[in-house]
Amino acid sequence: MSGLLKIGIGGLLFTTCPSARTAMADSGVLPLQQYMASLDSARLPRILQVCSGVYFQESIYEILGNEVCFSTGDVIKVTGFELLSVSCEDVSSKETFELPINHTGLFKIVPEVRPYSTMEELVKLRPVDLQSSLPVTFTSRSKVALGEVTLGEGAVLTLLSVEDDRCRCQVRGQSEASAEAYVPLATRGEFYVCEGEECFTLREIMASPCLRSQRFRFINTTMCQRTLVLSPVFQMCGVMNLRKNVLRFSSSLEVDVVDITDVCKEVNFVSPLSLTEVHSQPEESFPVVVEVLEGPEKLPMLNCEWLRLLQKETLLIFHRKRTSAMFMMSSVKSQKSQQYFLVSKQYGGQFRRRPRGFDSAYEIHAASSSQTSGLRLLVTRNCEEVEEEGLPGLNVGEQLEVVGCQEVQLPCGQTERRSVEALVCRRLQDVDEADEDDEVFLPLYMQGHFVEVLSDNKKYKLQDLDRLFKLPLDVKAVSRDPELVADPLVGFNCLRIEGATLEPTILASLLHKPELCFEIPVQRISMSVCKTQHALPWAADQTPECRVESVTEVTDRFLYQFHKESMTSARPPPRPPKGSLSDLTTRPPKATQSTPSKKFGSLTLRSKSFSLPPPAFRPTIADKQLPATPRRYSAAQTLPARALPNTYSKQGTLVEESPEHTAEDYEQVEDLIAGILNKVQKNAAAN
């Protein structure tokens, strides 16, 4: 800090430069609020010195993350500012109050009560730029001679344009008649600008330096007669030459400052960098030792151990920057809370595919369109046949193979028919049955419970799953990554690979543990660092071998942001035909050939082996049980005669299973379905 003068006042040490002492005495001293109102963001950064500040023996500089006082002599480098609110001062009472920048009220310009002696003065001396405020209405309080025509006192003129040395004006007569006239700029008189009809928002006023210099009044409020002077209030960001942390302070602090940027360039300041700015540095800038100036935000998107270590003044090694291929994974929702993971493509563990669960024909259609071969399904809950709606009857244990999707004609009401999209499926019979396979149509709005039938029992690497299958995909981690001390993915019965992404990352480690690295996604963490002069903890020719954490736990905020970024313009699920829901609630029960079993009536396949996701679409019907209709059984002759159909609540969600069922009840149904599925998979593998 050569060229700086250190001044001791009351036990505190201030630093200033000799040339700045002259600047402090110049006429460039302005209140901070006034200086910021005229500062252009394109001129940043700027170096300011406090000329008239406050001083406390035990000064508290920071409260709730914001600076609340500065002392005389402090040197501040302003690196950015953000408009937060607007200060309003009543011209007559000098009362001040603040309004948020998103205030929805409108304002009108209050013209200055000052006369213009010539038309040239009115054109050139108006505070607001003339071209941006035309037309301008004004009055003349003296007679004006325009050649053979003389305008009397109180004449109202509207300035339309300026052409060479004259103004094209519209003159309004007493009978509201109007005519155009050309008034020379040299015309003398006593002219006053009238209030215009144009209204402005706070954002519009603050965006225009010309408008900010005007006075305004509210419209359509109880305070519409108050004349106000509006001033912007900024949240300012900067650094000081004697402090490392990033400063945040309001422009409304009552201090006077002077701009010493041009005369005090030798002052050294800490240069805070965001992670995005670090990632934009050239490759030659790495590796480098940095110090954390500001840690991550209080509600981060990551939930990992190394994130808690990124505290203020922590020293890190940024080894290199890169763009990493990563996968978003989530545990299938169960009684426990869900967990979410960002997994690197280099993850060394292996996975097996898990059968997916579907709660509607639309979900099946979305899944079948992402694979080339036919999707095979196992029905896990009885579906009632509704002939007038074209809904087929399905029984637990039946197998379907999706053939395609096409338009079909279904009844809609008593006489009308409606063309809807439906899945074309083929019923798969047992090998020893002689009946031919028959087709069944599932309208896309049909609700049901299905599980995917898989004949694949192979183990896959994560990058192979991405290459061979289309995401999302349900998997189970069957072998851990040997590079991880504790692999968090092993132990989950089912994981869903939500999708893939390319994340700009920085490979980092703690200074005292350079071999234990982690990848910081620069777009997901908000923190600032600065480069230091610390030496790297290894010789120039002995770069350590890094062990990288390939699995990072993230929060639901990360998952929401991920889905928001990858959201496509996919069409929503179709609605049922009009009138179908009311018909379902009023239709009389059909005769049944057997009595449903109360013991297994409301059981569903909710075992650890098959966790079904929530349905994408549920119709809302009355809270009433639907009648059951028997039909022939094909692949499950030994199943109970009939299970009760789905029961919906008025909010459109399934009623929870009755608490009177015991664990043995569920185990019998689960074992039954699992046995059928194992038999299907063995037959498929043999074929």
Side-chain angles (χ1 to χ4, degrees), residues 401-443:
E401 182 178 9
V402 179
V403 178
C405 183
Q406 68 181 39
E407 295 279 340
V408 297
Q409 295 291 327
L410 293 179
C412 181
Q414 298 295 330
T415 58
E416 298 180 3
R417 297 183 67 84
R418 177 183 175 183
S419 178
V420 299
E421 282 188 287
L423 284 179
V424 182
C425 299
R426 185 163 53 93
R427 280 195 176 98
L428 302 179
Q429 311 295 339
D430 287 342
V431 179
D432 54 352
E433 288 196 26
D435 294 341
E436 294 182 357
D437 297 341
D438 59 326
E439 286 187 343
V440 60
F441 298 96
L442 307 182

Coordinates of all heavy atoms in Angstrom, one line a residue, residues 401-443:
E401 N -49.5 -56.6 -23.3 CA -48.3 -56.1 -24.1 C -48.8 -54.9 -24.9 O -49.8 -55.0 -25.7 CB -47.8 -57.2 -25.0 CG -46.5 -56.7 -25.8 CD -45.9 -57.7 -26.7 OE1 -46.5 -58.8 -26.8 OE2 -44.8 -57.5 -27.2
V402 N -48.1 -53.8 -24.8 CA -48.5 -52.6 -25.5 C -48.1 -52.7 -26.9 O -47.0 -52.9 -27.3 CB -47.9 -51.3 -24.8 CG1 -48.3 -50.1 -25.6 CG2 -48.3 -51.2 -23.4
V403 N -49.1 -52.5 -27.8 CA -48.9 -52.6 -29.3 C -48.7 -51.2 -29.8 O -47.8 -51.0 -30.7 CB -50.1 -53.3 -30.0 CG1 -49.8 -53.4 -31.5 CG2 -50.2 -54.7 -29.4
G404 N -49.5 -50.3 -29.4 CA -49.4 -48.9 -29.9 C -50.5 -48.0 -29.4 O -51.2 -48.4 -28.4
C405 N -50.7 -46.9 -30.0 CA -51.7 -45.9 -29.5 C -52.4 -45.4 -30.8 O -51.8 -45.1 -31.8 CB -51.0 -44.7 -28.8 SG -52.2 -43.5 -28.1
Q406 N -53.8 -45.4 -30.7 CA -54.5 -45.0 -31.9 C -55.8 -44.4 -31.4 O -56.2 -44.4 -30.3 CB -54.8 -46.1 -32.8 CG -55.7 -47.2 -32.2 CD -56.0 -48.4 -33.2 OE1 -55.0 -48.8 -33.8 NE2 -57.2 -48.9 -33.2
E407 N -56.5 -43.7 -32.4 CA -57.8 -43.1 -32.1 C -58.9 -44.2 -32.2 O -58.9 -45.0 -33.1 CB -58.2 -42.0 -33.2 CG -57.2 -40.8 -33.1 CD -57.6 -39.8 -32.1 OE1 -58.8 -39.9 -31.6 OE2 -56.8 -39.0 -31.6
V408 N -59.8 -44.2 -31.2 CA -60.9 -45.2 -31.1 C -62.2 -44.4 -30.8 O -62.1 -43.3 -30.3 CB -60.6 -46.3 -30.1 CG1 -59.4 -47.1 -30.4 CG2 -60.5 -45.7 -28.7
Q409 N -63.3 -45.0 -31.2 CA -64.6 -44.4 -30.9 C -65.2 -45.0 -29.6 O -65.3 -46.2 -29.5 CB -65.5 -44.7 -32.1 CG -65.1 -44.1 -33.4 CD -65.3 -42.6 -33.4 OE1 -66.2 -42.1 -32.7 NE2 -64.4 -41.9 -34.1
L410 N -65.5 -44.1 -28.7 CA -66.1 -44.5 -27.4 C -67.4 -43.8 -27.2 O -67.5 -42.6 -27.6 CB -65.1 -44.2 -26.3 CG -63.8 -45.0 -26.2 CD1 -63.0 -44.6 -25.0 CD2 -64.1 -46.5 -26.1
P411 N -68.3 -44.4 -26.5 CA -69.6 -43.7 -26.2 C -69.4 -42.5 -25.3 O -68.6 -42.6 -24.4 CB -70.4 -44.8 -25.6 CG -69.5 -45.8 -25.0 CD -68.3 -45.8 -25.9
C412 N -70.1 -41.5 -25.5 CA -70.1 -40.3 -24.7 C -71.5 -39.8 -24.4 O -72.1 -39.1 -25.2 CB -69.3 -39.2 -25.3 SG -69.2 -37.7 -24.4
G413 N -72.1 -40.3 -23.3 CA -73.5 -40.0 -23.0 C -74.4 -41.1 -23.6 O -73.9 -42.3 -23.8
Q414 N -75.6 -40.8 -23.8 CA -76.6 -41.8 -24.2 C -76.5 -42.2 -25.7 O -76.5 -43.3 -26.1 CB -78.0 -41.3 -23.9 CG -78.3 -41.1 -22.5 CD -78.2 -42.3 -21.6 OE1 -78.5 -43.4 -22.1 NE2 -77.8 -42.2 -20.4
T415 N -76.3 -41.2 -26.6 CA -76.4 -41.4 -28.0 C -75.1 -41.0 -28.7 O -74.7 -41.6 -29.8 CB -77.5 -40.7 -28.7 OG1 -77.4 -39.3 -28.4 CG2 -78.9 -41.2 -28.1
E416 N -74.3 -40.1 -28.2 CA -73.1 -39.6 -28.9 C -72.0 -40.5 -28.7 O -71.9 -41.3 -27.7 CB -72.8 -38.2 -28.3 CG -73.8 -37.2 -28.5 CD -73.4 -35.8 -28.0 OE1 -72.3 -35.7 -27.5 OE2 -74.2 -34.9 -28.0
R417 N -71.0 -40.4 -29.6 CA -69.8 -41.2 -29.5 C -68.6 -40.2 -29.7 O -68.8 -39.2 -30.4 CB -69.7 -42.3 -30.6 CG -70.8 -43.3 -30.4 CD -70.6 -44.5 -31.5 NE -69.4 -45.2 -31.3 CZ -69.3 -46.2 -30.4 NH1 -70.3 -46.6 -29.7 NH2 -68.2 -46.9 -30.3
R418 N -67.5 -40.5 -29.1 CA -66.4 -39.6 -29.1 C -65.1 -40.3 -29.5 O -64.9 -41.4 -29.0 CB -66.3 -38.9 -27.7 CG -65.1 -38.0 -27.6 CD -65.0 -37.5 -26.2 NE -63.8 -36.6 -26.0 CZ -63.4 -36.1 -24.9 NH1 -64.2 -36.3 -23.8 NH2 -62.3 -35.4 -24.8
S419 N -64.3 -39.6 -30.3 CA -63.1 -40.2 -30.7 C -62.0 -39.8 -29.7 O -61.7 -38.6 -29.5 CB -62.7 -39.7 -32.1 OG -61.4 -40.2 -32.5
V420 N -61.4 -40.8 -29.1 CA -60.4 -40.5 -28.1 C -59.1 -41.4 -28.4 O -59.2 -42.4 -29.1 CB -60.9 -40.9 -26.6 CG1 -62.1 -40.0 -26.3 CG2 -61.2 -42.3 -26.5
E421 N -58.0 -41.0 -27.8 CA -56.8 -41.8 -28.0 C -56.8 -42.9 -26.9 O -57.2 -42.7 -25.8 CB -55.6 -40.9 -27.8 CG -55.2 -40.0 -29.0 CD -53.9 -39.3 -28.8 OE1 -53.8 -38.4 -28.0 OE2 -52.9 -39.7 -29.4
A422 N -56.4 -44.1 -27.4 CA -56.3 -45.2 -26.5 C -55.1 -46.1 -26.8 O -54.6 -46.1 -27.9 CB -57.6 -46.0 -26.6
L423 N -54.6 -46.7 -25.8 CA -53.5 -47.7 -25.9 C -54.1 -49.0 -26.5 O -55.1 -49.5 -26.0 CB -52.8 -48.0 -24.6 CG -51.9 -46.9 -24.0 CD1 -51.3 -47.4 -22.7 CD2 -50.7 -46.7 -25.0
V424 N -53.5 -49.5 -27.5 CA -53.9 -50.8 -28.0 C -52.9 -51.9 -27.4 O -51.7 -51.8 -27.6 CB -53.7 -50.9 -29.6 CG1 -54.2 -52.3 -30.1 CG2 -54.5 -49.8 -30.2
C425 N -53.5 -52.8 -26.6 CA -52.8 -53.8 -25.9 C -53.2 -55.2 -26.3 O -54.4 -55.4 -26.7 CB -52.9 -53.6 -24.3 SG -52.3 -52.0 -23.7
R426 N -52.3 -56.1 -26.2 CA -52.6 -57.5 -26.5 C -52.6 -58.3 -25.2 O -51.6 -58.2 -24.4 CB -51.6 -58.0 -27.5 CG -51.8 -59.4 -28.0 CD -51.0 -59.7 -29.2 NE -49.6 -59.4 -29.0 CZ -48.7 -60.3 -28.7 NH1 -49.1 -61.6 -28.5 NH2 -47.5 -60.0 -28.5
R427 N -53.7 -59.0 -24.9 CA -53.7 -59.9 -23.7 C -52.8 -61.1 -24.0 O -52.9 -61.8 -25.0 CB -55.1 -60.4 -23.4 CG -56.0 -59.3 -22.7 CD -57.2 -60.0 -22.1 NE -58.0 -59.1 -21.3 CZ -59.0 -58.4 -21.7 NH1 -59.5 -58.6 -23.0 NH2 -59.7 -57.6 -20.9
L428 N -51.9 -61.4 -23.0 CA -51.0 -62.5 -23.2 C -51.6 -63.7 -22.3 O -51.7 -63.5 -21.1 CB -49.6 -62.1 -22.7 CG -48.9 -61.0 -23.4 CD1 -47.6 -60.7 -22.8 CD2 -48.8 -61.2 -24.9
Q429 N -51.9 -64.8 -23.0 CA -52.4 -66.0 -22.4 C -51.3 -66.9 -21.9 O -50.2 -66.8 -22.3 CB -53.4 -66.7 -23.3 CG -54.4 -65.8 -24.0 CD -55.4 -65.2 -23.0 OE1 -55.6 -65.7 -21.9 NE2 -56.0 -64.1 -23.4
D430 N -51.7 -67.9 -21.1 CA -50.7 -68.9 -20.7 C -50.4 -69.8 -21.9 O -51.1 -69.9 -22.9 CB -51.3 -69.8 -19.6 CG -51.4 -69.1 -18.3 OD1 -50.7 -68.1 -18.1 OD2 -52.2 -69.5 -17.4
V431 N -49.2 -70.4 -21.8 CA -48.7 -71.2 -23.0 C -49.6 -72.3 -23.3 O -49.9 -72.7 -24.4 CB -47.3 -71.7 -22.7 CG1 -46.8 -72.5 -23.8 CG2 -46.3 -70.5 -22.4
D432 N -50.2 -73.0 -22.2 CA -51.0 -74.2 -22.5 C -52.4 -73.8 -22.9 O -53.2 -74.7 -23.1 CB -51.1 -75.0 -21.2 CG -51.5 -74.2 -20.0 OD1 -51.7 -73.0 -20.1 OD2 -51.7 -74.9 -18.9
E433 N -52.9 -72.6 -23.0 CA -54.2 -72.2 -23.4 C -54.3 -72.2 -24.9 O -53.3 -71.7 -25.6 CB -54.6 -70.9 -22.8 CG -54.9 -70.9 -21.3 CD -55.7 -69.7 -20.9 OE1 -56.4 -69.1 -21.7 OE2 -55.6 -69.4 -19.7
A434 N -55.4 -72.6 -25.4 CA -55.6 -72.7 -26.9 C -56.2 -71.4 -27.5 O -56.2 -71.3 -28.7 CB -56.4 -73.9 -27.3
D435 N -56.8 -70.6 -26.6 CA -57.4 -69.4 -27.1 C -56.4 -68.4 -27.7 O -55.3 -68.3 -27.3 CB -58.1 -68.6 -26.0 CG -59.3 -69.4 -25.4 OD1 -59.7 -70.4 -26.1 OD2 -59.7 -69.2 -24.3
E436 N -56.9 -67.7 -28.8 CA -56.0 -66.8 -29.4 C -55.9 -65.5 -28.6 O -56.8 -65.2 -27.8 CB -56.5 -66.4 -30.8 CG -56.5 -67.6 -31.8 CD -57.0 -67.2 -33.2 OE1 -57.4 -66.0 -33.3 OE2 -57.0 -68.0 -34.1
D437 N -54.8 -64.8 -28.8 CA -54.6 -63.6 -28.0 C -55.7 -62.5 -28.5 O -56.0 -62.5 -29.7 CB -53.2 -63.0 -28.2 CG -52.2 -63.9 -27.7 OD1 -52.5 -64.8 -26.8 OD2 -51.0 -63.8 -28.1
D438 N -56.3 -61.8 -27.6 CA -57.2 -60.8 -28.0 C -56.7 -59.4 -27.6 O -55.9 -59.2 -26.7 CB -58.6 -61.0 -27.4 CG -58.5 -61.1 -25.9 OD1 -57.4 -61.5 -25.3 OD2 -59.5 -60.6 -25.2
E439 N -57.2 -58.3 -28.3 CA -56.8 -57.0 -28.1 C -57.7 -56.3 -27.1 O -58.9 -56.6 -27.0 CB -56.8 -56.2 -29.4 CG -55.7 -56.5 -30.3 CD -55.6 -55.6 -31.5 OE1 -56.6 -54.9 -31.8 OE2 -54.6 -55.5 -32.2
V440 N -57.2 -55.3 -26.4 CA -58.0 -54.5 -25.4 C -57.5 -53.1 -25.6 O -56.3 -52.8 -25.8 CB -57.7 -55.0 -24.0 CG1 -56.3 -54.9 -23.6 CG2 -58.6 -54.3 -23.0
F441 N -58.5 -52.2 -25.5 CA -58.2 -50.7 -25.7 C -58.3 -50.1 -24.3 O -59.3 -50.1 -23.6 CB -59.2 -50.1 -26.7 CG -59.2 -50.7 -28.0 CD1 -60.0 -51.7 -28.4 CD2 -58.2 -50.2 -29.0 CE1 -60.0 -52.3 -29.7 CE2 -58.2 -50.8 -30.2 CZ -59.0 -51.8 -30.6
L442 N -57.2 -49.3 -24.0 CA -57.2 -48.6 -22.7 C -57.2 -47.1 -23.0 O -56.1 -46.6 -23.5 CB -55.9 -49.0 -21.9 CG -55.6 -50.4 -21.6 CD1 -54.4 -50.6 -20.8 CD2 -56.8 -51.1 -20.9
P443 N -58.3 -46.4 -22.8 CA -58.3 -44.9 -23.0 C -57.2 -44.3 -22.2 O -57.0 -44.7 -21.0 CB -59.7 -44.5 -22.6 CG -60.5 -45.7 -22.7 CD -59.6 -46.9 -22.4

